[in-house]
Amino acid sequence: MSSDRIVHDPADVDPGRFYQLLTSSIVPRPIAWVSSRSADGVDNLSPYSFFSVSSTAPPVVQFTSVGGAKDSARNAIETGQFVINIATQALMEKANASSAGFDRDIDEFVEADIASAPATVVDCLRVRDSPVAIECKLHRSVEVGNSVVVMGEVVALTIDPAILADDGMPDYAKLAAVSRLGRMEWGLPSSTVDLERPH
């Protein structure tokens, strides 16, 4: 690898270009396929690739709406609830279809022909065929630069037993979760290696 490095100063680079540099470097990124319901009762579904765990006690997960509070973030903030569905390889095309810029009064479940089911605790839908649904009540939202970080306290985690390993935990290969990379690239499930942590 070359010892010469190209330095990109965000103050000197177009924000859109810097976004591309970041999202092509921070890979793979898990996908929060967020389902929510507006205060007017319109169901919404959209994928977000800025997604992680914020806390384990209490369990809190987060997703980031880049460019301000889009429908999912706005709904979560207004109603105080949402579901994060895990996007799998079998559902990748559906997840991508739901990312289109639909108007606020459009139900993406219907428009993208995605099967739904009621969540168990919160008052919105989940993706029926997603093997893991993380039901959340709003913990807090934080404006960061041009984005909104939405944190949700997990109130229910529902898992399809078909993807569980013998120890009762989700099996990576059976889950077959996809990820986002740079450009138009999506990451498919890959091989794994077990490494014990040093003591």
Side-chain angles (χ1 to χ4, degrees):
M1 184 173 292
S2 171
S3 60
D4 296 328
R5 301 178 77 88
I6 301 172
V7 178
H8 298 277
D9 184 339
D12 299 328
V13 179
D14 175 79
R17 176 65 174 174
F18 207 82
Y19 169 86
Q20 293 174 334
L21 288 166
L22 282 175
T23 56
S24 295
S25 301
I26 303 172
V27 292
R29 298 186 309 283
I31 298 169
W33 201 5
V34 181
S35 53
S36 61
R37 179 171 288 158
S38 73
D40 296 328
V42 179
D43 289 301
N44 178 268
L45 180 65
S46 189
Y48 292 81
S49 69
F50 293 1
F51 162 47
S52 191
V53 177
S54 306
S55 169
T56 58
V60 176
V61 294
Q62 69 179 59
F63 72 93
T64 300
S65 179
V66 177
K70 297 173 185 172
D71 291 345
S72 302
R74 188 181 303 113
N75 291 347
I77 293 167
E78 290 178 355
T79 67
Q81 55 192 356
F82 60 96
V83 178
I84 292 178
N85 307 273
I86 299 301
T88 64
Q89 186 171 359
L91 295 168
M92 182 173 58
E93 297 285 349
K94 296 283 189 181
N96 188 54
S98 70
S99 70
F102 296 107
D103 291 338
R104 184 165 169 75
D105 60 350
I106 297 297
D107 181 336
E108 282 88 351
F109 282 100
V110 174
E111 195 70 17
D113 190 28
I114 298 168
S116 65
T120 58
V121 175
V122 300
D123 184 25
C124 57
L125 299 175
R126 64 175 175 84
V127 176
R128 186 194 68 188
D129 298 326
S130 172
V132 177
I134 306 167
E135 301 184 25
C136 301
K137 293 287 183 72
L138 182 68
H139 179 69
R140 70 179 65 176
S141 63
V142 181
E143 292 187 14
V144 181
N146 70 339
S147 303
V148 177
V149 180
V150 178
M151 299 181 184
E153 182 167 350
V154 180
V155 293
L157 176 65
T158 66
I159 302 175
D160 183 344
I163 60 103
L164 297 179
D166 292 340
D167 61 2
M169 298 294 175
D171 181 278
Y172 177 75
K174 294 178 181 177
L175 178 60
V178 292
S179 59
R180 283 289 285 123
L181 307 174
R183 305 172 187 83
M184 307 300 290
E185 301 162 324
W186 288 61
L188 301 179
S190 57
S191 59
T192 63
V193 175
D194 291 343
L195 290 176
E196 290 189 14
R197 290 188 178 185
H199 298 291

